[in-house]
């Protein structure tokens, strides 16, 4: 079974920022009590925007479904009434969490390019910084240490950054994401 990621986008209701942030933290804490919970995080919006991205990750569909339909989550969602507007949810499995949903699949070659563009400079920097200290170690040990250090950085920081920056190209859209957001903010 593959881990499942639930990505939720919520816009803060006017004047409710601090209440909204407290409510988000409560939801993250609540999820930690459920079997199969792998982690969660909140991504703050860029300047001039009010849409937060919340990510919940579970070991499989069944454990996520148990959390989603739990009484405690339903009560938490009810407590959030009035704190946010325009909720959107998207579920992803495996690499789809980085590259979009199954309804709009990014070609594998584009995924490879995005991963390589993230991995190459980070791997190069790691080797430039730590290569002299690791050079006397056996090859297996060097590879073990570098992958232990780089895998979390790539998974949680650099590949998501690469896919966010390359989103128009990866999804085949002509308008960059930030321009769409700026246009939607201007209409409100």
């Amino acid at each position: 079974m593959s881990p499942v990621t639930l990505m939720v986008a919520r816009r803060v209701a006017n004047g409710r920022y601090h209440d909204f942030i407290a409510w988000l933290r409560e939801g993250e804490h609540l999820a930690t009590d459920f079997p199969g919970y792998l982690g969660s995080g909140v991504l703050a919006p860029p300047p001039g925007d009010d849409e937060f991205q919340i990510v919940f990750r579970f070991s499989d569909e069944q454990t996520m479904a148990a959390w989603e339909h739990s009484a405690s989550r339903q009560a938490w969602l009810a407590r959030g009434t009035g704190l946010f507007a325009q909720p959107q949810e998207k579920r992803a499995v495996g690499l789809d969490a980085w590259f979009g949903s199954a309804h709009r699949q990014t070609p594998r070659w584009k995924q490879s390019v995005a991963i390589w563009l993230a991995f190459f400079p980070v791997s190069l920097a790691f080797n430039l910084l730590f290569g002299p200290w690791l050079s006397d170690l056996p090859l297996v040990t060097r590879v073990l240490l570098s992958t232990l250090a780089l895998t979390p950085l790539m998974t949680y920081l650099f590949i998501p950054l690469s896919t966010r920056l390359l989103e128009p190209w990866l999804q085949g859209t002509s308008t960059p994401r930030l321009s769409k957001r700026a246009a939607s903010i201007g209409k409100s």
Side-chain angles (χ1 to χ4, degrees):
M1 298 219 171
S2 295
V4 180
T5 303
L6 178 66
M7 294 167 278
V8 181
R10 300 214 194 283
R11 293 194 178 281
V12 181
N14 255 351
R16 301 298 306 267
Y17 175 81
H18 294 291
D19 295 332
F20 177 78
I21 296 299
W23 177 78
L24 285 180
R25 297 297 175 218
E26 178 189 350
E28 282 188 293
H29 182 71
L30 172 74
T32 63
D33 293 336
F34 283 81
Y37 170 77
L38 299 176
S40 59
V42 176
L43 302 173
D49 199 351
D50 61 356
E51 184 179 73
F52 282 78
Q53 303 292 322
I54 306 103
V55 179
F56 293 97
R57 192 155 170 86
F58 285 83
S59 59
D60 55 50
E61 273 293 335
Q62 291 77 21
T63 58
M64 180 178 282
W67 169 72
E68 281 185 292
H69 302 297
S70 69
S72 55
R73 181 174 182 264
Q74 297 308 314
W76 172 68
L77 289 172
R79 286 190 299 277
T81 302
L83 298 178
F84 57 85
Q86 302 174 343
Q88 297 174 10
E89 296 187 4
K90 181 170 75 169
R91 184 180 317 266
V93 178
L95 287 178
D96 291 343
W98 287 330
F99 295 104
S101 70
H103 303 295
R104 190 171 186 173
Q105 185 62 39
T106 300
R108 290 283 181 207
W109 72 270
K110 285 187 174 185
Q111 293 177 21
S112 297
V113 170
I115 291 170
W116 183 84
L117 285 172
F119 195 85
F120 176 74
V122 174
S123 180
L124 181 61
F126 179 87
N127 282 291
L128 287 171
L129 290 171
F130 300 107
W133 290 296
L134 299 175
S135 63
D136 293 336
L137 297 175
L139 176 63
V140 172
T141 305
R142 286 193 318 258
V143 171
L144 173 69
L145 292 174
S146 68
T147 56
L148 281 172
L150 294 178
T151 299
L153 287 173
M154 298 307 298
T155 301
Y156 293 105
L157 183 61
F158 292 105
I159 292 176
L161 176 63
S162 174
T163 58
R164 189 170 47 249
L165 293 173
L166 296 172
E167 183 180 17
W169 176 71
L170 289 167
Q171 299 302 326
T173 58
S174 58
T175 307
R177 182 177 180 183
L178 293 177
S179 296
K180 286 183 194 174
R181 280 190 174 171
S184 69
I185 292 169
K187 292 177 185 174
S188 34

